[in-house]
Amino acid sequence: MTRTLVLSNVFPPRVGGSGRWLWELYRRFTDSDVLVVAGPCQGDQAFDDKSSLKTVRARLAPGDLGGLWPGGRSRYAALRKEVLRLASDFQPEAVHACCVIPEGWIALGLQKRLGIPYACYVHGEEIAVYRQSRELSWMARRVLRSASRVIVNSHNTLTQLREAWPESASRAVVIHPGVDTSVYVPADRDDEQRSELGWSGKKVVLTVGRLQRRKGHDKMIEAIAEITRAIPDFLYAVVGAGEERPRLERIAQEHGVADRVQFCGEVTDARLVQYFQQCDLFALPNRTVNGDFEGFGMVLVEAQSCGKPALSGDSGGAPETLIDGETGVVVDCREAGNIAAAVTEMLNDPERLSAVGAAARRRAVEVFDWARLANDAESFLKLDEPSTVGAR
């Protein structure tokens, strides 16, 4: 049984797809003794007390990600020292870094000092950020060049990796994030639940995710006026928080559709399942904005696991979550008119909506169930064994 030290600054209960991905994987590993060093956040003690994963909390973020100048070197040296202190009794045989920077840079330092091999995760959207900085690009190249394994969340991310640092792609494998198909399950339409959600008598399109421009909430809001001409009882429900909310509220007011947009804020996991189950259509109308794109889109998979058709933008790795025309639709979401046409067509065809949702559920179970993905990841991440990436 391999003793594995996992470094993840973003980790539950802090909201974030990268941390959720690691938590879902590592709590299902069967042949590894795992210790997670995770960033602190509100509610972490209560979460850790109930978690099956051994977890200790430490600040892994150095503030400024740069590590080449004296200030940066000293900050990273302090982080490595703290990680070594926390891991002293554990004696890890491998380190897994949730992100290239800062976690990967810390892992590289541990490798140099102690000879411990490490693996590194790449999520996609960070690549453009690193490439805009000579310092961060150099650091990322060093991290990825020395990593024994590299896991990427989509084929799109793998393509980005090959373009940026081709020498690391030979040690990379695509392992998609997934879903707990025993929790995210279909449910019949429930009028009482829909009333509690404020959805009585409405046809509801749902978006879940942090309120960031790349997610495309603004374009969906711009599309509402056109949608309601064909679907008068339309409602757009938005679950999540973020810096874009004031701007989105302003756009809704300017387009005269504020009464058609429901900002729900952040919700509990149990409540989130209800949102997925009771909506009519799930949409993540993502697009690339100034090089920022969606690396994958776990919420698209979660919605499909609940038997809901999904609408995805054609940017980044999000289209890999569905089969266009079978389990959902892929749309160029740079223009609101494209979104309006796709939403209107799907909501006006209940039979197709039902058939696509059923296909979405089947594929979620067959392709994206966490148990299967965890088995693949654990096998690939055995750093003392030759990689089988060529066979994948």
Side-chain angles (χ1 to χ4, degrees), residues 97-114:
C98 176
C99 293
V100 180
I101 304 172
E103 292 94 326
W105 192 249
I106 297 171
L108 175 61
L110 296 178
Q111 182 203 60
K112 287 184 174 181
R113 181 169 176 176
L114 302 175

Side-chain angles (χ1 to χ4, degrees), residues 356-392:
V356 172
R361 169 64 183 179
R362 289 193 297 272
R363 184 166 186 260
V365 172
E366 294 169 1
V367 177
F368 292 114
D369 187 79
W370 278 123
R372 188 186 71 80
L373 296 173
N375 182 67
D376 288 348
E378 186 170 22
S379 176
F380 178 69
L381 285 167
K382 291 185 182 299
L383 305 188
D384 58 343
E385 298 178 4
S387 169
T388 57
V389 63
R392 291 172 182 258

Side-chain angles (χ1 to χ4, degrees), residues 128-339:
V129 176
Y130 298 158
R131 297 184 76 179
Q132 292 171 7
S133 163
R134 292 179 63 185
E135 180 184 24
L136 296 182
S137 181
W138 187 87
M139 291 171 65
R141 177 177 285 107
R142 290 288 302 277
V143 170
L144 294 168
R145 186 175 63 193
S146 298
S148 297
R149 302 282 194 275
V150 178
I151 285 185
V152 296
N153 60 354
S154 68
H155 293 281
N156 180 75
T157 297
L158 182 58
T159 298
Q160 300 284 331
L161 184 69
R162 285 188 177 125
E163 292 176 356
W165 303 289
E167 65 276 11
S168 62
S170 63
R171 281 164 282 110
V173 69
V174 176
I175 297 181
H176 291 307
V179 62
D180 188 336
T181 59
S182 68
V183 173
Y184 291 83
V185 297
D188 293 335
R189 187 183 185 91
D190 188 312
D191 290 337
E192 183 176 339
Q193 285 189 18
R194 287 176 65 88
S195 177
E196 291 176 2
L197 296 174
W199 294 359
S200 293
K202 303 293 185 182
K203 288 187 177 180
V204 180
V205 169
L206 172 70
T207 297
V208 176
R210 183 163 180 81
L211 306 187
Q212 298 170 303
R213 195 162 297 199
R214 75 166 189 257
K215 305 285 188 181
H217 305 87
D218 52 351
K219 293 300 179 183
M220 176 63 77
I221 293 172
E222 291 175 13
I224 291 175
E226 184 175 343
I227 294 171
T228 54
R229 283 197 285 270
I231 306 172
D233 54 354
F234 177 83
L235 178 70
Y236 180 40
V238 179
V239 171
E243 63 276 7
E244 279 285 287
R245 179 159 178 172
R247 176 175 171 268
L248 296 174
E249 291 175 336
R250 187 172 65 253
I251 292 172
Q253 290 285 350
E254 291 171 351
H255 284 75
V257 297
D259 60 334
R260 304 283 185 166
V261 183
Q262 180 191 47
F263 290 99
C264 307
E266 294 181 347
V267 302
T268 64
D269 288 348
R271 191 68 161 172
L272 180 59
V273 173
Q274 292 182 346
Y275 276 91
F276 282 127
Q277 290 172 335
Q278 295 303 318
C279 74
D280 295 288
L281 172 67
F282 183 83
L284 186 67
N286 59 292
R287 67 190 190 277
T288 300
V289 180
N290 297 324
D292 186 24
F293 59 88
E294 195 72 16
F296 183 67
M298 288 174 61
V299 290
L300 287 158
V301 176
E302 291 168 347
Q304 291 174 82
S305 186
C306 290
K308 298 302 175 180
L311 182 153
S312 162
D314 62 359
S315 165
E320 296 175 38
T321 64
L322 55 85
I323 299 176
D324 190 19
E326 287 188 33
T327 68
V329 292
V330 178
V331 178
D332 179 350
C333 292
R334 292 173 297 177
E335 299 293 336
N338 298 335
I339 300 171

